[in-house]
Amino acid sequence: MNIDHILTVMNQCQVAYLLIGGVNFLLRHKPVLTYDIDLWIEDTPDNLTRCERALAQLQAEWGAAMDDWKPVAQRPGGWLSQQQLFCLTSPFGAIDIFRTVAGLDDWQQCKRRGVEGATGGGVPYTGLCDADMLRCQLALPADQQNLQRIAFLLQVLESKNKSAPGF
């Protein structure tokens, strides 16, 4: 997976996103095996258009069903408005695009709380803060929660003496 290239294209296309999931955890805390990059995008018409353009540049492919699978560059504009979550493939790695995230209600508030970072190659990104990463984990059904990640995030939040309302 080429995380730097994916984030570079998103940044060049001015997509408003927050890095979430395993890659955010990997870049901010400790190495974990992850097979995709998860991006929560701001759900506005202009941003959806910018994201569609970035995904086309990344040669991403998607389909609502297997017989509909094709490069997103061949899709008419507005296809990202069809559903809330997209799992795409690209030569640079699998990309999941979230328009909503369980446990998190307001993209703008999460962006304000987000943590600025850079990959090892120097590509800037904004990722979810630890408290919001924890909220995401706790919003999952119990059988899908990553208990090691939850324990680690609780420990990090406790050691920083940060309040995590509701936890």
Side-chain angles (χ1 to χ4, degrees), residues 52-130:
E52 288 176 2
R53 187 171 42 247
L55 292 167
Q57 286 183 28
L58 289 166
Q59 303 167 39
E61 296 184 0
W62 172 81
M66 287 307 294
D67 61 345
D68 184 40
W69 200 266
K70 63 183 174 186
V72 298
Q74 296 175 8
R75 297 192 171 281
W79 64 270
L80 268 178
S81 62
Q82 292 180 8
Q83 57 193 49
Q84 296 300 308
L85 169 63
F86 294 83
C87 300
L88 304 102
T89 60
S90 84
F92 309 100
I95 305 167
D96 292 347
I97 299 294
F98 292 77
R99 292 178 53 214
T100 60
V101 175
L104 303 176
D105 296 328
D106 188 314
W107 188 92
Q108 287 290 335
Q109 286 182 0
C110 290
K111 172 75 170 169
R112 282 191 288 279
R113 290 189 300 264
V115 176
E116 302 293 324
T119 67
V123 178
Y125 69 90
T126 303
L128 283 183
C129 70
D130 294 333

Side-chain angles (χ1 to χ4, degrees), residues 17-55:
Y17 69 87
L18 285 164
L19 185 61
I20 62 176
V23 171
N24 186 44
F25 191 78
L26 175 139
L27 292 173
R28 299 225 3 261
H29 292 296
K30 62 184 192 175
V32 292
L33 183 60
T34 187
Y35 297 101
D36 62 6
I37 185 168
D38 300 317
L39 302 173
W40 179 22
I41 62 171
E42 184 177 27
D43 196 18
T44 64
D46 288 343
N47 198 53
L48 291 175
T49 299
R50 288 190 298 269
C51 189
E52 288 176 2
R53 187 171 42 247
L55 292 167

Side-chain angles (χ1 to χ4, degrees), residues 8-15 47 50-51 53-55 57:
T8 295
V9 171
M10 290 291 174
N11 292 340
Q12 288 171 343
C13 290
Q14 300 178 341
V15 177
N47 198 53
R50 288 190 298 269
C51 189
R53 187 171 42 247
L55 292 167
Q57 286 183 28

Side-chain angles (χ1 to χ4, degrees), residues 136-156:
C136 289
Q137 280 295 315
L138 295 175
L140 293 171
D143 64 333
Q144 295 177 19
Q145 292 178 355
N146 183 324
L147 298 180
Q148 289 178 330
R149 191 174 298 172
I150 290 171
F152 181 86
L153 289 168
L154 286 169
Q155 184 178 36
V156 167

